[in-house]
């Protein structure tokens, strides 16, 4: 997902060549529910950092007049750019569990791409089998840690539900990951898929009758 543009960033910004992550993304989640209050889909909004945005625009020759606005043709060309180049077996950057059960998410459907305050903002939708919101655990992360995802907003859950977001202790996680081995090569992140250790964790609890 982020890999093609992350590699581009590595070539443009040499000092970051041995650093992870390469891309920073704010995440917004909007859940869709059926008449019984079960979750049936989730819209995922990704807002990319300013540097990554500039690199994407420059690489594609977008916003040539530098007015920080995309034409309709440019939006059409960019739509879904972050959903291509998924390697075989890659599940994306959103993981849901209900109790001990892993929730299978459908293929992402690109919905929109905009340039907001100088940052690219994309929205895509992923469907799922109707699932109770109660005891749902949601973790947005890139397994390879090319991108650091931060959960910023959650909407669309039934009114009887409450949410709690737990964020990782970055210093402790970074120290622990450093003990896994040499991080100087990309193969380290391919092998250990450390992104799961840096993830925000959203827990949903709902009142039951």
């Amino acid at each position: 997902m982020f890999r093609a543009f992350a590699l581009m960033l590595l070539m443009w910004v040499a000092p970051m060549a041995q650093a992870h992550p390469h891309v920073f993304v704010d995440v917004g989640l909007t859940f869709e529910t059926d008449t019984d209050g079960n979750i049936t889909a989730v819209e995922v909004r990704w807002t990319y950092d300013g540097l990554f945005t500039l690199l994407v625009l420059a690489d594609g020759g977008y916003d040539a007049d530098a007015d920080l606005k995309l034409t309709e043709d440019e939006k059409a060309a960019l739509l879904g750019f972050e959903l291509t180049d998924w390697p075989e077996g890659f599940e994306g950057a959103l993981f849901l569990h209900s109790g001990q059960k892993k929730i299978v998410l459908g293929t992402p459907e690109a919905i929109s791409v905009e340039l907001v305050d100088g940052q690219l903002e994309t929205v895509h939708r992923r469907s799922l089998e109707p699932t109770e919101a109660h005891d749902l655990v949601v973790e947005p992360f890139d397994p390879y840690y090319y991108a650091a995802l931060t959960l910023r907003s959650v909407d669309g859950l039934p009114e009887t539900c409450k949410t709690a977001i737990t964020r990782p202790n970055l210093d402790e996680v970074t120290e622990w990951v450093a003990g896994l081995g040499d991080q100087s090569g990309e193969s380290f992140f391919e092998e250990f898929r450390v992104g799961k250790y840096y993830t925000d964790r959203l827990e949903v609890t709902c009142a039951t009758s």
Side-chain angles (χ1 to χ4, degrees):
M1 172 184 47
F2 303 102
R3 303 169 87 189
F5 286 105
L7 290 174
M8 175 189 69
L9 189 149
L10 287 178
M11 291 185 288
W12 279 58
V13 189
M16 294 183 65
Q18 302 301 332
H20 272 253
H22 308 305
V23 186
F24 297 87
V25 185
D26 286 343
V27 180
L29 303 177
T30 301
F31 292 92
E32 299 177 12
T33 59
D34 60 20
T35 55
D36 295 321
N38 295 317
I39 296 171
T40 57
V42 56
E43 282 192 2
V44 183
R45 184 179 69 256
W46 286 334
T47 304
Y48 295 91
D49 67 81
L51 175 59
F52 185 74
T53 294
L54 289 175
L55 293 176
V56 172
L57 297 179
D59 183 66
Y62 304 112
D63 190 31
D65 59 3
D67 66 350
L68 295 181
K69 296 180 181 179
L70 296 176
T71 67
E72 293 304 315
D73 287 343
E74 289 172 332
K75 291 179 185 180
L78 277 168
L79 183 65
F81 80 89
E82 79 282 25
L83 306 177
T84 61
D85 295 324
W86 284 28
E88 184 177 353
F90 186 65
E91 299 177 84
L94 184 66
F95 300 87
L96 277 66
H97 287 82
S98 180
Q100 299 300 314
K101 179 183 177 182
K102 182 177 181 179
I103 305 301
V104 177
L105 298 176
T107 302
E109 171 194 357
I111 294 178
S112 67
V113 58
E114 302 284 347
L115 195 53
V116 180
D117 295 330
Q119 294 177 265
L120 276 171
E121 183 177 281
T122 68
V123 178
H124 66 272
R125 180 181 183 273
R126 303 191 71 178
S127 62
L128 59 145
E129 292 295 322
T131 301
E132 289 187 3
H134 184 60
D135 284 341
L136 190 69
V137 174
V138 182
E139 295 175 310
F141 65 90
D142 170 19
Y144 303 107
Y145 204 44
Y146 286 92
L149 278 63
T150 301
L151 183 58
R152 297 298 188 188
S153 65
V154 179
D155 295 297
L157 290 167
E159 293 182 358
T160 59
C161 297
K162 296 182 179 180
T163 60
I165 298 175
T166 303
R167 304 196 188 276
N169 184 313
L170 296 181
D171 291 336
E172 291 181 0
V173 172
T174 299
E175 181 179 0
W176 184 84
V177 169
L180 295 176
D182 181 8
Q183 301 180 48
S184 61
E186 295 297 328
S187 60
F188 172 88
F189 298 92
E190 297 282 351
E191 178 181 357
F192 290 103
R193 302 190 179 191
V194 300
K196 61 185 176 182
Y197 304 116
Y198 289 92
T199 186
D200 292 339
R201 177 183 175 93
L202 168 69
E203 296 183 68
V204 182
T205 55
C206 308
T208 57
S209 56

